[in-house]
Amino acid sequence: MFSNLRRAVRRGYRRTVDLSHPARSPLGSAVVNCLVYREGVRQEDCAEVEEALRRVRKTGDGFVWIGLHEPAQSELAGLAELFGLHPLAVEDAVNAHQRPKVERYGDTLFSVFKTVRYVEHEELTATSEVVETGELMAFTGQDFVITIRHGGRGTLGPVREELEAAPDQLLRGPAAVLHAMADHVVDDYMAVTDAVQNDIDAVETAVFSENGGRGDAGRIYQLKRELLELRRAVAPLGRPLQQLATQPIPVIPPDIRAYFRDVADHVTRATDQIGAYDNLLDSILQAHLAQVTVAQNEDMRKITAWAAIVAVPTMVCGVYGMNFDHMPELHWTYGYPLVLGVMALACFVIHRGFRRNGWL
C-alpha cells in the first residue's frame, strides 16, 4: 500500500520485482507499472519510487512513469507527498466521475480524459448499451508522469509500446506521454463515432422501409441517450486541449504544442460529427412520429369506412324492427329478400366508393 511507502523506502534500495503481480508489488495493489526512461529509452522498472526519482533528479535526465488502476486514498497518499501533488487534484483522482479538464497546480498538470468504447451488439434494441465510458487521469511534472485509470477501458499498454518504439518522441519528456495519452483517447472517440454511425444507418433504414415498425421510437431514443453520453465525454475536452496547444505552460515544451493542436482538431471534428448525428436522429424521430401519425390516420379512416358500411344495414334493420302493424312490404312475400338485396347493394356501393377514394 502507498501508506506504507515511506517506511519501505527507508529500508534501502531493493532489487527490481515483478510489479505486474499485485501481491508481489511493494508499491500497492493499484500499481500497474513503474518505469524509468532516460534519453528516450526505457531503463528499468522501479521497485522504489523515491530512489528512482532521486536518481532521475540527480542526473537531470529522464523521467519516472507510474501507472495505477483505481487507487484508494491511502494508496495515493504516499505518491502525493513524494511528488507534491495538490490535495484537490488527488481527491479528484481518487473519486473519479470528473468532467474532462486540464488544471495547473504550480509546475504540475492534472489532466482528466473520458475513455469510450463501442459495445458490440447483434441488434440495437430499446435497452442496448452502445457506448461504455471510463476515466483516465494524469499528473504531469517536469520529471514524472502518474497515470490513473478508472473503469475497464483506457489501458495504456499500447501507448507505452508505441512510445518506446519512438525514442525521439520520448526524448521530449513527460509532455510526450501526455500527448500520446490524449491522442490515444481521441482516436477511440473517432472509432466509436464511426461505429455509432452504423447503428444510425440501421435505424434510418428501418424507419423509412416499406414495413417500418412502430417500435422504432424506443431504439431511436436509446441511441440518442448513448450519443449524449458520448458527447459528454468528447465535447468538454476541446477547450483544455486548446489551452495545451496555445498557452505557455512550463511542463509543455513549445515544440510539442503543435501535436496537441492536432489532437484538438480531431476532438473538434468528433464533436461536430456527434452533433450532426444528434440532429439526424432528431429528424429520424420526427419522421418516425409522422409515419406513426399517418398510419393511425389510415387506421381511423378504415374504421370509419367500415362503420359507415355497417350503418346502412343497421339502419334498415332498425326501421323494420319497429312494432308497427302497417309498414310497406311487411306482409309481402318478396319483402324480406328485397330488403336484403337493397342492404347488400347499398353496402357494395359504399364499399366501392371508399375503395376508390383510398379509404379501404
Side-chain angles (χ1 to χ4, degrees), residues 305 308-310 312 345-355 360:
I309 294 174
V310 173
V312 173
L345 179 61
C347 291
F348 173 77
V349 172
I350 295 173
H351 181 272
R352 186 172 181 179
F354 282 135
R355 286 290 297 273
L360 289 175

Side-chain angles (χ1 to χ4, degrees), residues 95-107:
N95 295 332
H97 304 294
Q98 303 297 316
R99 180 183 175 89
K101 59 184 179 180
V102 175
E103 295 178 338
R104 181 179 174 183
Y105 296 95
D107 293 334

Side-chain angles (χ1 to χ4, degrees), residues 28-270:
S29 60
V31 174
V32 177
N33 54 54
C34 177
L35 307 170
V36 176
Y37 293 90
R38 291 190 183 92
E39 297 181 355
V41 179
R42 175 175 173 175
Q43 299 296 314
E44 57 190 16
D45 293 346
C46 47
E48 300 290 346
V49 179
E50 188 170 350
E51 177 64 19
L53 184 61
R54 184 188 65 80
R55 292 183 179 183
V56 167
R57 289 179 175 175
K58 181 179 180 180
T59 59
D61 180 33
F63 62 93
V64 179
W65 183 355
I66 302 173
L68 304 98
H69 180 244
E70 298 183 353
Q73 182 73 38
S74 59
E75 293 177 305
L76 198 53
L79 286 181
E81 183 176 355
L82 179 61
F83 291 95
L85 306 181
H86 197 280
L88 292 177
V90 172
E91 182 181 357
D92 289 345
V94 172
N95 295 332
H97 304 294
Q98 303 297 316
R99 180 183 175 89
K101 59 184 179 180
V102 175
E103 295 178 338
R104 181 179 174 183
Y105 296 95
D107 293 334
T108 303
L109 284 181
F110 176 61
S111 309
V112 178
F113 304 97
K114 286 283 189 180
T115 59
V116 298
R117 182 180 73 90
Y118 179 77
V119 180
E120 297 290 344
H121 47 269
E122 294 183 0
E123 182 180 0
L124 180 67
T125 65
T127 58
S128 294
E129 183 182 15
V130 179
V131 179
E132 179 184 352
T133 61
E135 288 187 50
L136 186 61
M137 307 174 182
F139 291 94
T140 309
Q142 294 289 354
D143 49 19
F144 68 88
V145 177
I146 302 174
T147 57
I148 301 170
R149 178 165 58 93
H150 290 270
R153 291 291 298 168
T155 177
L156 294 176
V159 176
R160 186 176 67 251
E161 292 175 359
E162 291 178 4
L163 283 173
E164 291 177 355
D168 292 341
Q169 191 71 4
L170 273 176
L171 277 173
R172 303 176 187 272
V177 178
L178 182 60
H179 163 260
M181 289 174 49
D183 189 54
H184 176 71
V185 169
V186 173
D187 284 345
D188 286 344
Y189 292 166
M190 303 300 296
V192 171
T193 52
D194 290 341
V196 170
Q197 183 179 6
N198 296 330
D199 287 325
I200 296 177
D201 292 342
V203 169
E204 184 179 19
T205 300
V207 167
F208 290 100
S209 63
E210 184 176 353
N211 299 319
R214 298 187 181 182
D216 288 328
R219 298 199 301 164
I220 299 173
Y221 183 72
Q222 177 65 14
L223 200 54
K224 283 183 65 66
R225 286 179 59 89
E226 295 295 309
L227 205 61
L228 176 61
E229 186 173 0
L230 181 60
R231 184 200 293 269
R232 288 172 178 170
V234 177
L237 190 58
R239 185 175 180 182
L241 288 176
Q242 288 291 345
Q243 293 176 351
L244 294 176
T246 58
Q247 296 184 5
I249 302 174
V251 181
I252 308 298
D255 60 344
I256 206 171
R257 291 176 190 166
Y259 293 92
F260 283 105
R261 189 180 305 114
D262 180 67
V263 177
D265 290 341
H266 291 171
V267 169
T268 301
R269 188 174 69 178

